[in-house]
Amino acid sequence: DQQVKQNSPSLSVQEGRISILNCDYTNSMFDYFLWYKKYPAEGPTFLISISSIKDKNEDGRFTVFLNKSAKHLSLHIVPSQPGDSAVYFCAALIGGNQFYFGTGTSLTVIP
Amino acid sequence: DAGITQSPRHKVTETGTPVTLRCHQTENHRYMYWYRQDPGHGLRLIHYSYGVKDTDKGEVSDGYSVSRSKTEDFLLTLESATSSQTSVYFCAIKPRDRGINEQFFGPGTRLTVL
């Protein structure tokens, strides 16, 4: 049973526009959420995170929003750049050590 | 770069054979993890370790065992490989001295079980 879901397997966005990647979860006990970026043939790299006690965290072009009542988080990338083309995974943490990942969204930024 | 290496990077084996994958880290991090990545499933936690000889199961631990006899090495063993274990395996560490819970991943091992 997938506790963290990314319902969009792929997304295409024009360079300079906003990319919005979505993630839904089912377990209300998750207390931390993270986004990772993955290029082919490489391991995932950490992008940005948010605690469950916050609703927004921003780091440069990347902003993560958390809506606990809807059990939904999103990653906004503004402006999108061709180098942002990758697979993005959201992840949720419970108990400090159990990480649950979504299935990933492949983002393509078109120059 | 969190100083994580995985070996081998690629392996092809036959059903029923034992396979051991190695994760090595150079920065004495306490927490280490093994994941597998499969299409349609994302990354799924197999086992993790919170210290030497201290390990626990993840959500897909059946068919896998782990060992950690030294801080720097975390081994994943498939006692008798099956075709369903064909996957890309990632090791990760979580630095405990950070104020956040991010993980750093190794480059991955692509395992094919024929």
Side-chain angles (χ1 to χ4, degrees), chain A residues 92-110:
Chain A
L93 177 62
I94 186 169
N97 270 311
Q98 289 273 4
F99 290 85
Y100 291 86
F101 283 78
T103 52
T105 296
S106 178
L107 173 66
T108 301
V109 180
I110 303 164

Side-chain angles (χ1 to χ4, degrees), chain A residues 2 32 34 36 38 41-44 46 49 89 93 96-103, chain B residues 31 33 35 37 40-43 45 48 57 59 90 94 100-103 105-107:
Chain A
Q2 195 81 23
Y32 209 84
L34 309 94
Y36 288 84
K38 186 183 180 303
E42 295 182 8
F46 170 75
S49 62
F89 291 98
L93 177 62
N97 270 311
Q98 289 273 4
F99 290 85
Y100 291 86
F101 283 78
T103 52
Chain B
Y31 295 92
Y33 307 79
Y35 291 87
Q37 184 197 2
H41 291 279
L43 290 115
L45 180 64
Y48 65 97
K57 296 179 179 180
E59 60 177 317
F90 289 100
K94 187 178 77 167
I100 52 178
N101 292 295
E102 66 189 69
Q103 292 176 309
F105 285 82

Side-chain angles (χ1 to χ4, degrees), chain B residues 48-95:
Chain B
Y48 65 97
S49 171
Y50 45 95
V52 173
K53 298 186 179 178
D54 291 323
T55 65
D56 207 347
K57 296 179 179 180
E59 60 177 317
V60 291
S61 60
D62 287 348
Y64 301 95
S65 63
V66 289
S67 65
R68 193 162 177 206
S69 58
K70 299 184 290 185
T71 299
E72 58 266 36
D73 288 324
F74 191 31
L75 304 181
L76 178 69
T77 298
L78 292 67
E79 301 290 348
S80 177
T82 67
S83 58
S84 64
Q85 293 176 311
T86 292
S87 186
V88 180
Y89 291 85
F90 289 100
C91 173
I93 60 96
K94 187 178 77 167

